[in-house]
């Protein structure tokens, strides 16, 4: 059973760079059976897909965030990461990581809250 | 990429059937998934590949997808089913979420 755990800074100032990590247990990040995604939910709003990374390193990003996002995988640590530059208050959200299995986000981490405030 | 539209809210009486729609251009040509999201918790996958239920999801949850509309149906709705529900599909390698539907069990 895959388990995921997000970790992040909690609070950032506008214009800073967000770095989040998703630690994967119960499975290998280089298993070709699935790939990995980041999703977020701003307060009072719906779910928004940020992007995905395949075991090969191939990435796909939400067009609305593409210029600021980088997702990468680290097989040696069995984790994958999200980097979001130039954050603003609009990036305040709960950030989730999830494996994509059978075209669906099958298991979700507990989420990590990010607040962007000066 | 296409948009997925859901009604903002749906109300149902306990024991009755709730249906939540998700509309998108040619949505039936791709697979739809549904997620249940309760306050303070992580989303839970309840339907994938249009109608399949993950292990542990009650049989009262079912799904369909045809034409431009996917539908999540909850039969014999229980108070514990009160939550936000999101549909999701893929446009090539881009994931799209619907805006979410708040299900109220009155």
């Amino acid at each position: 059973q895959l388990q995921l755990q997000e970790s992040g800074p909690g609070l950032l100032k506008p214009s800073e760079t967000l770095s989040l990590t998703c630690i994967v247990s119960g499975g290998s990040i280089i298993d070709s059976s699935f790939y990995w995604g980041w999703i977020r939910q701003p307060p009072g709003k719906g779910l928004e897909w940020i992007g995905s990374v395949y075991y090969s390193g191939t990435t796909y990003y939400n067009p609305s965030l593409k210029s600021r996002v980088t997702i990468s995988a680290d097989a040696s640590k069995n984790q994958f990461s999200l980097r979001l530059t130039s954050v603003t208050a609009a990036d305040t959200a709960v950030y989730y990581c999830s494996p994509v299995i059978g075209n669906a986000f099958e298991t979700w981490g507990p989420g990590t809250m990010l607040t962007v405030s000066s | 990429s296409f948009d997925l539209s859901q009604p903002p809210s749906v109300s149902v009486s306990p024991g009755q059937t709730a249906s939540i729609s998700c509309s998108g251009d040619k949505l039936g040509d791709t697979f739809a998934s549904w997620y249940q999201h309760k306050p303070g918790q992580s989303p839970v996958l309840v339907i994938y590949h249009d109608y399949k239920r993950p292990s542990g999801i009650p049989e009262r949850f079912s799904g369909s997808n045809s034409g431009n509309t996917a539908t999540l149906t909850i039969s014999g709705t229980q108070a514990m089913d009160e939550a936000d529900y999101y549909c999701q599909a893929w446009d090539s390698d881009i994931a799209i979420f619907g805006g979410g539907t708040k299900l109220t069990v009155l």
Side-chain angles (χ1 to χ4, degrees):
Chain A
Q1 179 80 13
L2 281 172
Q3 293 187 344
L4 301 97
Q5 180 67 56
E6 307 90 347
S7 62
L11 177 65
L12 286 176
K13 292 181 169 56
S15 81
E16 292 186 326
T17 295
L18 169 67
S19 293
L20 295 178
T21 298
C22 180
I23 298 173
V24 178
S25 58
S28 171
I29 199 167
I30 59 172
D31 189 330
S32 60
S33 302
F34 32 77
Y35 52 103
W36 311 93
W38 286 99
I39 306 100
R40 70 180 184 180
Q41 184 179 37
K45 297 187 177 181
L47 299 173
E48 179 183 36
W49 175 74
I50 300 170
S52 298
V53 59
Y54 288 70
Y55 71 96
S56 62
T58 301
T59 53
Y60 295 93
Y61 300 128
N62 186 322
S64 69
L65 298 169
K66 187 174 183 178
S67 63
R68 299 193 291 130
V69 173
T70 304
I71 296 175
S72 59
D74 186 339
S76 66
K77 297 181 179 179
N78 214 41
Q79 65 187 38
F80 62 106
S81 301
L82 166 69
R83 185 173 181 268
L84 181 68
T85 62
S86 304
V87 299
T88 70
D91 296 310
T92 293
V94 178
Y95 287 74
Y96 298 98
C97 60
S98 174
V100 181
I101 303 173
N103 297 102
F105 296 96
E106 195 257 0
T107 303
W108 297 59
T112 185
M113 180 69 200
L114 171 71
T115 300
V116 180
S117 174
S118 56
Chain B
S1 60
F2 58 84
D3 292 329
L4 295 178
S5 296
Q6 300 180 233
S9 62
V10 169
S11 297
V12 64
S13 299
Q16 299 304 302
T17 296
S19 293
I20 301 174
S21 62
C22 174
S23 299
D25 187 40
K26 299 180 180 179
L27 180 57
D29 291 348
T30 186
F31 285 125
S33 301
W34 290 91
Y35 304 87
Q36 177 191 69
H37 194 193
K38 297 180 179 180
Q41 300 183 21
S42 301
V44 173
L45 176 67
V46 294
I47 293 289
Y48 69 102
H49 280 189
D50 296 338
Y51 63 90
K52 297 180 179 179
R53 281 180 291 105
S55 175
I57 300 302
E59 291 184 5
R60 64 179 180 274
F61 288 87
S62 63
S64 63
N65 185 16
S66 180
N68 295 326
T69 304
T71 303
L72 172 70
T73 302
I74 309 173
S75 305
T77 307
Q78 300 182 9
M80 68 172 65
D81 299 329
E82 186 164 286
D84 293 327
Y85 289 86
Y86 295 88
C87 61
Q88 179 260 317
W90 294 87
D91 182 359
S92 296
D93 294 291
I94 305 297
I96 310 294
F97 282 96
T101 298
K102 182 175 181 60
L103 177 67
T104 301
V105 183
L106 298 170

